Amino acid sequence: MADKTVDRGPWTGCAVMFLQSLCPGVNLLSLFKDREQGKFIVFKVIKLTLIDSAGGLGGYEILKVHDADPFLGVEVKFEDVSACQQFLESYSSGAVQQSLSQHACRLLTLPHEFTVETQLKASTHILDLCLDKLELCLQHIHLSQPERLRDEEIDHLEEQLQIQARGPAPQPTPITQEECPVPGNCFKFQNKVFEDRMLTAGDVQSFSNGVGRHWKHVGRALGKSCRALKGLAIDNLAYEYEREGLYEQAYQLLSRFIQAEGRAAKLSRLVKALEDCKLTSLAENILEIQPRE
C-alpha cells in the first residue's frame, strides 16, 4: 500500500460499491426491493459495515442504494480524505467483505456462512484493479464528484436507524408508581436493562473495529475513573502504535484498561464512556452482537 496522504484540507469524492450475495436463496437486491423489513435490514448491514471500515460515523454519507442487477449498488459520498483512505485500506485488506458477511449473517439470521462478491468503482474506473495504488484510488474518487443530494429513501432509512438506536418511546407511568430498581449486577442503556460483566475479547474487537478516530475521546472518558489512562497515557499510546493504525490503537487502549482494572473492567463502564462521547450507535452495536447470558 502506498504511503498515507498528508493532505487534510477540504475534500469530497464519490464511489459506488456493488454487492452480490453468493449464497443460494439470499438475494440482496430482491431483499432491498421487495420487502420493507428486508430493505431496512440490508441498509443496516451496509451502514454498520461503513462504520466498521471508515473509522466511525463521520466523514461520509450514503447517497443512494440502487438496482444494478444482479448487483446492489451503494453510492457513497466521502467528505473526509481520512475516512475515504481508511475505507480503501479496509476494502483492500478484505475487512469490508468480512464485515458485510458478519453483519448480514447476524441480521438476516442465516444458519450458514454468508459470502458476498463486491466491486468498487469511481465513475468509470474499477478501483479493484488498482487497490495497491492508494493515491490513485483517492484521486479517482476525488474526481468523481457526487451529482445528487441524498435520496429521500435513504433519509427515511437513516431516520429508522436513529429511532431503533433510541429504543421504544418510554410509556408514561403514574406519579405514584415507583420505578423498578436496577439489580446490582446490571446496568441500564436506552431504557433497557443489561447484565453487567467483564469486557470480553469480542467486546474489544467490536470496539476497535467501530470507534475509528474517536478512540482517544473514549480513552479520556474511561480515564476519569482509571488511573492507567490518565495524564499522557493516551498520547503515549497514540505515538507507540501510530504505525499500526487506528484499530491497533483502540485495541491497545481497551487492553490496557482491562489489564489495569481487572474484574472492575466492566461492560457498563465502556458503554457509559461511549455515551459520553456521543457514540451510542457503537454502544448499541457492541451490546447487540454479544450473547446475553
Side-chain angles (χ1 to χ4, degrees):
M1 196 56 86
D3 291 339
K4 292 181 181 292
T5 179
V6 296
D7 178 20
R8 293 295 182 267
W11 193 94
T12 58
C14 196
V16 181
M17 182 168 57
F18 296 92
L19 312 174
Q20 182 182 19
S21 166
L22 298 180
C23 294
V26 181
N27 188 312
L28 292 177
L29 180 58
S30 295
L31 276 171
F32 192 83
K33 288 171 60 177
D34 297 338
R35 291 171 48 203
E36 185 63 28
Q37 183 62 18
K39 183 188 295 290
F40 176 71
I41 291 175
V42 172
F43 181 77
K44 187 172 182 179
V45 168
I46 295 167
K47 183 75 173 184
L48 291 174
T49 298
L50 283 171
I51 291 172
D52 290 347
S53 57
L57 295 168
Y60 62 89
E61 67 170 333
I62 300 171
L63 295 182
K64 186 177 180 64
V65 179
H66 63 272
D67 182 348
D69 194 16
F71 291 90
L72 184 68
V74 183
E75 185 174 347
V76 182
K77 173 186 175 182
F78 290 97
E79 300 167 321
D80 180 271
V81 67
S82 298
C84 185
Q85 178 175 306
Q86 183 163 341
F87 172 78
L88 284 171
E89 290 172 345
S90 298
Y91 186 89
S92 177
S93 70
V96 169
Q97 292 85 343
Q98 183 180 6
S99 184
L100 277 166
S101 298
Q102 290 175 345
H103 290 304
C105 195
R106 176 172 58 86
L107 293 174
L108 293 170
T109 60
L110 301 177
H112 48 74
E113 184 178 354
F114 180 82
T115 53
V116 60
E117 178 184 352
T118 64
Q119 185 180 88
L120 189 64
K121 295 183 70 175
S123 186
T124 59
H125 299 283
I126 301 176
L127 302 185
D128 303 75
L129 303 178
C130 55
L131 289 173
D132 57 332
K133 300 179 177 66
L134 176 62
E135 293 296 340
L136 180 60
C137 290
L138 286 170
Q139 182 181 358
H140 287 326
I141 292 174
H142 183 44
L143 292 174
S144 176
Q145 290 295 307
E147 298 178 353
R148 61 168 64 89
L149 298 175
R150 188 164 75 177
D151 194 86
E152 289 184 1
E153 180 178 58
I154 303 301
D155 286 333
H156 176 65
L157 290 166
E158 290 280 10
E159 184 179 347
Q160 282 185 276
L161 272 180
Q162 292 297 320
I163 292 172
Q164 186 184 79
R166 289 194 296 266
Q171 296 298 315
T173 56
I175 296 176
T176 56
Q177 181 177 336
E178 295 183 2
E179 185 177 355
C180 294
V182 178
N185 63 337
C186 298
F187 67 98
K188 237 181 179 183
F189 174 72
Q190 295 181 347
N191 294 318
K192 298 178 183 176
V193 176
F194 295 88
E195 182 177 355
D196 207 358
R197 53 170 171 75
M198 290 180 61
L199 291 171
T200 66
D203 298 326
V204 176
Q205 184 178 15
S206 298
F207 171 79
S208 305
N209 274 326
V211 73
R213 298 185 303 280
H214 305 292
W215 72 269
K216 284 187 179 181
H217 300 300
V218 179
R220 292 190 178 99
L222 289 171
K224 293 176 182 178
S225 61
C226 175
R227 182 173 296 180
L229 298 179
K230 292 183 183 295
L232 296 175
I234 304 298
D235 293 333
N236 289 340
L237 275 175
Y239 177 78
E240 186 176 354
Y241 294 97
E242 180 180 13
R243 294 177 65 88
E244 284 80 0
L246 293 171
Y247 176 93
E248 187 63 25
Q249 289 171 326
Y251 185 93
Q252 292 297 331
L253 169 74
L254 271 199
S255 296
R256 186 158 302 184
F257 174 69
I258 293 170
Q259 182 180 10
E261 297 295 301
R263 290 182 174 276
K266 293 294 188 73
L267 178 62
S268 58
R269 294 175 69 182
L270 175 59
V271 170
K272 177 63 167 59
L274 291 171
E275 282 190 291
D276 290 347
C277 297
K278 303 190 186 305
L279 296 172
T280 52
S281 293
L282 178 55
E284 181 204 19
N285 188 27
I286 290 173
L287 290 170
E288 187 176 22
I289 64 175
Q290 296 305 317
R292 297 180 189 171
E293 299 176 357

